[in-house]
Amino acid sequence: EDSRLVMELGKAYMDGLHEAGVISTAKHFPGHGDTDIDSHLDLPLLLFDTMRLNAVELAPFRHIIDHGVMSIMSAHVAVPVLAEEERRPATLSHNIMTTLLRNELGFSGLVVTDALEMRSITRNYTPDESAVMAVEAGTDMILLSPDIDLARESLLEAVQSGRISEERIDRSVRRILLMKYWAGLHEQRFVDVPGYRSIVANEEHRKLAREIARKSMTLVRNEDGLLPLPTEQDKRILAVIIADREEQRVPVTRPNSTAPTEPVGEYFVRQLQARINDIDVIRVDPRSNQIEFDSLIVKASQSDIVIGAAYVQARSFQAEITIPDEMREALGAVSETGTPFALISFGDPYFIKNVPGVDAYLCAYSAAEASVEAAVETLMGVNNPLGRLPVSIPDVATFGTGLVYPEDVIIDEKEVIYDEERPGINID
């Protein structure tokens, strides 16, 4: 929503990658943020003029190129004002990938296509056409062709026929080899698998992740000071796990766990249940029926506080970010029972649009374990939410919104009853 913020955060992320010896890639060029179609499914059309493109879409790319980004990934979007044809994907456009990116913006690094197996490409181009056109447009590497052998043969034939020069291929190969050299792959090509735990997700990294998660918690609404939750143990709490997919699971990264995944919401419930005595749990997802929704509404009316945990987020091959109408109506009914309703979004920050009548709304942005822990700490008043909305939520909150708790309500973790050994509970 804010190009300047994208510039600032993009450069910070790039600097961190470079410091750790990781090749940085900015994507997707020339801009894929303001589209209403998933390019995995069809070709998005950006009907913007050059003034808008320069101010919004291209500004972060220009900034990151000027500061040394190493690679650019193309977008399977059509930008008529820039391309040769109205519906020519940027990936296959020489005007965009060479004239604009190389010549006008001065990018000399590695250019990689987005996956050529996406329907935004395959609906209109065969694997041999897309491979050759991508290289002609100016890309150095082709990603995920739907037919790798055919793509390879078509490129060889294009070079042998003179359609693509050997010099053109050599320039791309040189860029690829320079990247590998920068990353030290000529000295160490393979990963030390047994020793990865000392490098990836070690305790230092996990500590940093927890700190980042805590600072990211964004309290958008807090009517009548509902949050933090009261510390009295006689309150009846109903936790509602809201999932947009059936049998949804999330990765488990805890060092002491042997399971790679677990049902969505399970870790959140475990964190809550370790701190609160009287808690009931209900799960709703696309397969929930009206009987279950009616039961949810009754239980909500009999509870002192309802806490909703929404696991709804953008994914590939997903036409829209939404929940079924029946679920939306049931959650709306819960917000009308008169029971205070606090909602946490572990994904889409706009989720409150589905339940506009909630009393409190907390954006955690992610279902990662560090974010779940930080969200529960924030609910209990152990962590003060310091985050600010990086977007506007129409009719709800403006860009930069972020409420904080008064200092006198922040409590020490030691004052909260917390028992990790308490037996887990089943989620209906």
Side-chain angles (χ1 to χ4, degrees):
E1 181 169 330
D2 187 307
S3 294
R4 291 170 298 179
L5 182 60
V6 176
M7 293 181 204
E8 179 183 353
L9 298 183
K11 181 182 180 300
Y13 193 86
M14 178 193 74
D15 290 343
L17 292 173
H18 290 175
E19 185 179 343
V22 178
I23 296 169
S24 60
T25 301
K27 60 182 186 178
H28 301 75
F29 187 83
H32 207 328
D34 201 353
T35 57
D36 60 356
I37 294 174
D38 180 356
S39 55
H40 291 84
L41 302 174
D42 209 339
L43 181 67
L45 198 61
L46 272 63
L47 298 174
F48 304 135
D49 59 27
T50 52
M51 182 177 296
R52 146 74 192 234
L53 289 168
N54 277 311
V56 179
E57 276 74 21
L58 295 177
F61 283 104
R62 185 178 290 108
H63 181 76
I64 207 82
I65 288 169
D66 289 345
H67 285 86
V69 72
M70 301 176 71
S71 177
I72 298 281
M73 179 176 282
S74 67
H76 299 336
V77 299
V79 191
V81 73
L82 297 178
E84 298 85 344
E85 304 159 2
E86 182 180 68
R87 297 191 63 82
R88 172 79 67 93
T91 298
L92 309 182
S93 169
H94 186 275
N95 286 357
I96 294 175
M97 303 311 300
T98 295
T99 304
L100 175 60
L101 179 59
R102 294 287 192 199
N103 300 342
E104 295 182 21
L105 299 185
F107 181 65
S108 59
L110 189 70
V111 177
V112 184
T113 72
D114 203 349
L116 294 185
E117 65 183 4
M118 292 160 61
R119 291 178 201 164
S120 47
I121 297 294
T122 60
R123 281 182 183 271
N124 299 296
Y125 301 91
T126 61
D128 52 332
E129 288 176 325
S130 60
V132 173
M133 290 179 69
V135 173
E136 285 183 319
T139 60
D140 300 304
M141 295 182 71
I142 291 169
L143 179 67
L144 292 174
S145 167
D147 189 329
I148 295 174
D149 292 334
L150 181 58
R152 179 179 180 275
E153 289 302 318
S154 65
L155 283 169
L156 286 173
E157 290 175 8
V159 172
Q160 291 165 358
S161 68
R163 179 177 173 180
I164 297 175
S165 69
E166 287 192 26
E167 180 186 10
R168 166 68 186 83
I169 298 297
D170 288 345
R171 287 201 300 271
S172 290
V173 171
R174 179 176 175 81
R175 291 189 187 105
I176 295 167
L177 292 175
L178 284 172
M179 289 291 169
K180 292 183 175 183
Y181 179 81
W182 180 89
L185 298 179
H186 61 298
E187 297 176 338
Q188 184 175 349
R189 293 179 56 196
F190 301 103
V191 172
D192 175 18
V193 176
Y196 84 96
R197 259 304 178 199
S198 65
I199 302 172
V200 178
N202 58 34
E203 185 51 38
E204 179 185 357
H205 296 166
R206 294 173 64 81
K207 181 179 178 180
L208 177 59
R210 287 191 291 268
E211 179 184 354
I212 293 170
R214 286 168 180 154
K215 290 183 178 179
S216 76
M217 294 296 115
T218 305
L219 188 59
V220 177
R221 178 184 294 172
N222 194 23
E223 299 292 339
D224 298 323
L226 175 58
L227 299 180
L229 295 174
T231 55
E232 306 95 278
Q233 291 296 308
D234 59 346
K235 295 290 185 181
R236 293 167 299 174
I237 307 292
L238 174 64
V240 184
I241 307 303
I242 306 161
D244 60 351
R245 289 191 301 177
E246 299 178 8
E247 299 181 357
Q248 186 174 340
R249 301 182 70 86
V250 291
V252 175
T253 60
R254 301 185 292 278
N256 57 349
S257 176
T258 57
T261 64
E262 65 188 9
V264 67
E266 189 169 290
Y267 191 55
F268 173 73
V269 169
R270 192 174 302 136
Q271 291 287 308
L272 267 185
Q273 192 268 345
R275 294 169 167 87
I276 299 172
N277 281 329
D278 192 357
I279 182 169
D280 198 3
V281 185
I282 290 182
R283 175 190 298 274
V284 292
D285 62 32
R287 65 182 174 185
S288 299
N289 56 43
Q290 193 58 50
I291 294 175
E292 292 171 302
F293 291 140
D294 290 343
S295 174
L296 165 64
I297 297 167
V298 171
K299 285 190 176 182
S301 65
Q302 297 171 344
S303 302
D304 292 312
I305 298 172
V306 176
I307 303 173
Y311 293 82
V312 177
Q313 54 191 243
R315 299 183 187 86
S316 300
F317 298 98
Q318 181 174 295
E320 56 185 343
I321 309 172
T322 188
I323 56 176
D325 290 341
E326 298 81 4
M327 189 190 302
R328 187 180 300 108
E329 291 170 3
L331 292 172
V334 169
S335 70
E336 294 172 358
T337 60
T339 302
F341 189 172
L343 178 64
I344 307 168
S345 175
F346 288 110
D348 176 24
Y350 304 100
F351 186 79
I352 190 175
K353 298 287 284 183
N354 293 285
V355 203
V358 295
D359 301 286
Y361 185 52
L362 179 68
C363 285
Y365 307 105
S366 164
E369 289 168 0
S371 295
V372 172
E373 293 165 2
V376 174
E377 290 170 346
T378 304
L379 287 179
M380 303 304 300
V382 175
N383 177 65
N384 201 348
L386 300 177
R388 297 289 180 269
L389 267 184
V391 295
S392 299
I393 305 176
D395 303 321
V396 175
T398 58
F399 179 96
T401 294
L403 307 176
V404 296
Y405 296 150
E407 286 299 325
D408 60 350
V409 306
I410 304 299
I411 60 176
D412 190 278
E413 174 73 22
K414 293 191 289 293
E415 298 179 34
V416 180
I417 297 175
Y418 182 81
D419 184 4
E420 290 183 327
E421 300 304 318
R422 186 181 295 163
I425 59 178
N426 296 322
I427 303 177
D428 294 339

